[in-house]
Amino acid sequence: MSEYVLGVDLGTSAVKVSAMNKDGEIVAQQSFDYPLSQPHPGYSEQNPEDWVSGTTVAIVRLILDDQIKPEEIEGISFSGQMHGLVLLDENRQVLRPAILWNDTRTTKQRHEIEAQLGDKFVEITKNQPLEGFTLPKMLWVKENEPEIWAQAKTFLLPKDYVRYRMTGKLAMDYSDATGTVLLDVKAGQWSQEICDALDIPMSMCPPLMKSIDSAGKVSQSYALFSGLSTDTEVFGGGADNAAGAVGAGILSPNMVLSSIGTSGVVLKYEENADVDYHGVLQFEDHAIPDSYYSMGVTLAAGYSLNWFKKTFAQDVSFDEMVESAANSGVGANGLIYTPYIVGERAPYADADIRGSFIGVDGTHKKTDFVRAVLEGIIFSFKDIMDIYDAHHNDFDTVVAIGGGAKSPLWLQIQADIFNKKVVSLENEQGPGMGAAMMAAVGLGWFDTFQECADKFVHFGKEYLPDPKRAQQYDKVHEIYGKVYKSTSELSHELLAYRRDNDI
Ligand SMILES: Nc1ncnc2c1ncn2[C@@H]1O[C@H](COP(=O)(O)OP(=O)(O)O)[C@@H](O)[C@H]1O
Ligand SMILES: O=C(CO)[C@@H](O)[C@H](O)COP(=O)(O)O
């Protein structure tokens, strides 16, 4: 009899479920897309039921189409889009659509937290209370939808809600809990001080668990719904970036992760919680017990490309559009794109900044615009790399994951802009792989993540920087670096036109 684990990667654009065997081979994969609702600029919501249905459809397809036998699935674990607020009432019913990580309606709440707790907040949570994180979202509901807040008895993050629906148990793992900015990171528990200061009942905070801990077995009701067996063990899982790091083999401080999903992330493994980026970078508990990671997030990475395609290139395939950028050159013939189209998190924590194309010329072609978008996203990543450089972090290898790592051209652009070796994975599914690895370690298939990674993580092609292009990109990045400052006032002046349409 074969033995499998399922890694559920609950992303922003889709859920992808991978079935892996003990040799670390992906034997089958299914995915299901779901919509993102953006009713106003700055808003971003999803229906938690869509996550449950999408995950279930993908699992049913693994069983029916790929002939994975339910009794052969030993464990399931998760990689979840982070920070999204799911509010449940006393009957554990969802009270409103989930408010997602890329929703930035909460600037007022961010400032309220800063005014009330100041530096103490960063000391406790190791993060700033940025718009995207869960706590400001809770305060927004409290202030703007008091009737819903009055009914709220607990909150969960996206993958925790799916796990709850599979097992009937409420829980949150540490790696995702840091992203709520309600956790006292050093103490490893919910912060009484923050809850008290902001009048959040501690009773709303769910029980904490490790990523490799079991939340129990698939419940009778979910087994009936999905076809899974009630013998399958369901594990905690982790934040998608923690899972991505595990699935990409980032298990030591000399390697860095670059992830292009809907968001973009540059991430580094941290051995202890003593390092201090003063909240400029996010600092999170890892899915690996007793370790951490730091990261900088570009809110619109893959999202920028999706937006560009939807708006200007509907007639070609995604691959065709991306590869057309090869017809332009380094610096896109003098065109620069800044990817701030839904605001930004790092290095500029500014929810109201917006993107721009700088240097548009009458000779520019669509291929230049595509190239500028690809480059602008990576320039934003380079800004994060520069922060690591400033902290004297030495690393030589960047492992690239996410949907963006499907493009060889974009991987080469990464190598040239970072001026570092970029390595892809054989399968670009870092987070899904990481999720499966958490189940594999949780089940005891392996004693450590390192042992598991030796079996599961397979590096693919390497992309080396071209010295000439790297030098040229250095200069363009310098110009790119001036765009934020030069456009921030203009962006803020345009805010009223984005939000109100009645001026
Ligand atoms: N062929 C491709 N080449 C480059 N980028 C791609 C390609 N296909 C998809 N992408 C990018 O990958 C992103 C989705 O990546 P994924 O890791 O699946 O995201 P998420 O986890 O946020 O759902 C899309 O936003 C898109 O811009
Ligand atoms: O907000 C963050 C990290 O802090 C995002 O990285 C989300 O976790 C969503 O990720 P993707 O859907 O882009 O993978």
Side-chain angles (χ1 to χ4, degrees):
M1 184 171 120
S2 312
E3 293 157 305
Y4 302 114
V5 285
L6 300 188
V8 176
D9 174 14
L10 194 75
T12 311
S13 53
V15 58
K16 292 151 232 163
V17 185
S18 312
M20 310 214 36
N21 64 19
K22 272 191 167 166
D23 290 326
E25 294 157 344
I26 301 183
V27 291
Q29 241 173 1
Q30 292 285 349
S31 68
F32 196 86
D33 292 357
Y34 31 69
L36 184 72
S37 158
Q38 293 177 299
H40 308 285
Y43 280 47
S44 179
E45 299 186 339
Q46 270 173 343
N47 178 358
E49 204 55 43
D50 288 348
W51 301 327
V52 178
S53 311
T55 305
T56 310
V57 170
I59 290 174
V60 169
R61 285 183 184 156
L62 285 173
I63 296 171
L64 295 182
D65 298 351
D66 299 309
Q67 272 90 51
I68 302 285
K69 295 194 183 76
E71 63 277 14
E72 294 180 342
I73 302 172
E74 292 206 345
I76 301 181
S77 195
F78 305 87
S79 155
Q81 49 161 301
M82 298 171 66
H83 317 296
L85 174 66
V86 182
L87 280 175
L88 302 183
D89 71 10
E90 61 184 353
N91 299 315
R92 298 181 177 180
Q93 297 298 307
V94 173
L95 280 162
R96 70 175 320 292
I99 308 180
L100 302 197
W101 59 275
N102 51 357
D103 186 300
T104 52
R105 73 182 77 171
T106 51
T107 301
K108 178 168 174 277
Q109 290 70 31
R110 168 187 170 180
H111 293 318
E112 283 165 8
I113 301 169
E114 283 167 350
Q116 203 157 338
L117 287 152
D119 289 346
K120 189 79 194 158
F121 188 86
V122 181
E123 212 178 286
I124 297 172
T125 68
K126 304 275 290 175
N127 287 285
Q128 293 181 53
L130 299 187
E131 284 85 348
F133 304 158
T134 322
L135 173 61
K137 299 179 196 311
M138 295 169 87
L139 297 185
W140 185 91
V141 176
K142 193 166 163 226
E143 285 174 33
N144 294 278
E145 297 177 345
E147 67 297 343
I148 287 185
W149 184 252
Q151 296 173 67
K153 285 290 167 292
T154 193
F155 77 98
L156 292 177
L157 298 173
K159 64 146 195 355
D160 301 315
Y161 181 68
V162 176
R163 187 188 336 92
Y164 160 68
R165 289 287 296 272
M166 284 185 178
T167 61
K169 298 241 175 62
L170 293 175
M172 190 181 290
D173 80 286
Y174 288 98
S175 71
D176 239 359
T178 30
T180 65
V181 290
L182 259 171
L183 195 79
D184 181 330
V185 172
K186 279 203 167 156
Q189 56 197 28
W190 295 114
S191 168
Q192 182 83 53
E193 189 169 349
I194 293 178
C195 282
D196 288 350
L198 300 168
D199 194 22
I200 305 270
M202 279 289 267
S203 57
M204 283 186 75
C205 302
L208 290 161
M209 71 189 300
K210 287 188 193 148
S211 298
I212 54 171
D213 283 349
S214 168
K217 299 204 168 172
V218 168
S219 66
Q220 286 279 358
S221 59
Y222 191 71
L224 276 175
F225 185 42
S226 62
L228 285 169
S229 153
T230 51
D231 286 335
T232 300
E233 193 106 33
V234 185
F235 294 90
D240 57 1
N241 292 298
V246 168
I250 308 283
L251 305 172
S252 62
N254 67 331
M255 287 164 99
V256 162
L257 179 79
S258 136
S259 161
I260 304 178
T262 306
S263 69
V265 168
V266 173
L267 176 154
K268 192 178 153 299
Y269 178 96
E270 304 282 359
E271 274 168 329
N272 58 59
D274 296 335
V275 53
D276 191 359
Y277 297 108
H278 310 290
V280 176
L281 298 180
Q282 290 170 229
F283 194 88
E284 319 278 352
D285 274 355
H286 211 317
I288 304 163
D290 304 317
S291 59
Y292 306 87
Y293 66 92
S294 57
M295 66 174 170
V297 173
T298 296
L299 285 182
Y303 182 84
S304 283
L305 210 57
N306 288 6
W307 159 78
F308 187 86
K309 169 139 185 22
K310 190 176 68 189
T311 315
F312 304 111
Q314 278 186 359
D315 49 326
V316 292
S317 76
F318 217 96
D319 280 355
E320 245 179 291
M321 180 188 77
V322 173
E323 295 308 312
S324 76
N327 299 323
S328 180
V330 169
N333 292 315
L335 185 64
I336 286 179
Y337 168 73
T338 54
Y340 311 137
I341 58 174
V342 290
E344 193 49 300
R345 256 206 230 150
Y348 312 108
D350 183 347
D352 292 333
I353 185 72
R354 284 301 179 270
S356 38
F357 282 105
I358 302 289
V360 181
D361 183 89
T363 60
H364 279 141
K365 300 196 174 66
K366 201 189 277 182
T367 49
D368 296 312
F369 282 85
V370 176
R371 178 100 188 188
V373 172
L374 299 181
E375 292 181 346
I377 294 158
I378 307 306
F379 285 142
S380 164
F381 284 23
K382 171 81 170 132
D383 285 345
I384 313 296
M385 298 264 180
D386 288 349
I387 297 176
Y388 283 128
D389 279 347
H391 280 77
H392 310 292
N393 284 308
D394 225 10
F395 51 84
D396 46 27
T397 304
V398 178
V399 184
I401 63 165
K406 284 184 205 159
S407 157
L409 173 69
W410 211 357
L411 287 163
Q412 186 59 52
I413 290 175
Q414 292 197 46
D416 292 338
I417 291 181
F418 298 151
N419 199 8
K420 300 230 187 286
K421 180 170 76 185
V422 170
V423 184
S424 59
L425 297 178
E426 265 180 16
N427 179 309
E428 124 284 330
Q429 294 296 334
M433 172 82 74
M437 288 166 72
M438 290 176 213
V441 174
L443 282 164
W445 285 8
F446 303 93
D447 287 338
T448 62
F449 275 107
Q450 186 61 61
E451 265 180 41
C452 184
D454 292 343
K455 230 358 191 280
F456 276 49
V457 181
H458 304 289
F459 293 116
K461 208 175 154 199
E462 284 185 7
Y463 295 79
L464 297 174
D466 172 85
K468 182 155 172 247
R469 286 195 299 262
Q471 219 176 33
Q472 291 169 324
Y473 271 130
D474 244 5
K475 295 200 175 112
V476 188
H477 180 242
E478 230 178 280
I479 306 171
Y480 168 94
K482 296 179 192 164
V483 180
Y484 174 79
K485 212 162 163 232
S486 317
T487 57
S488 75
E489 198 181 322
L490 298 174
S491 257
H492 291 111
E493 278 179 42
L494 286 168
L495 180 66
Y497 292 83
R498 287 202 295 275
R499 296 266 151 92
D500 299 329
N501 294 328
D502 60 347
I503 344 154

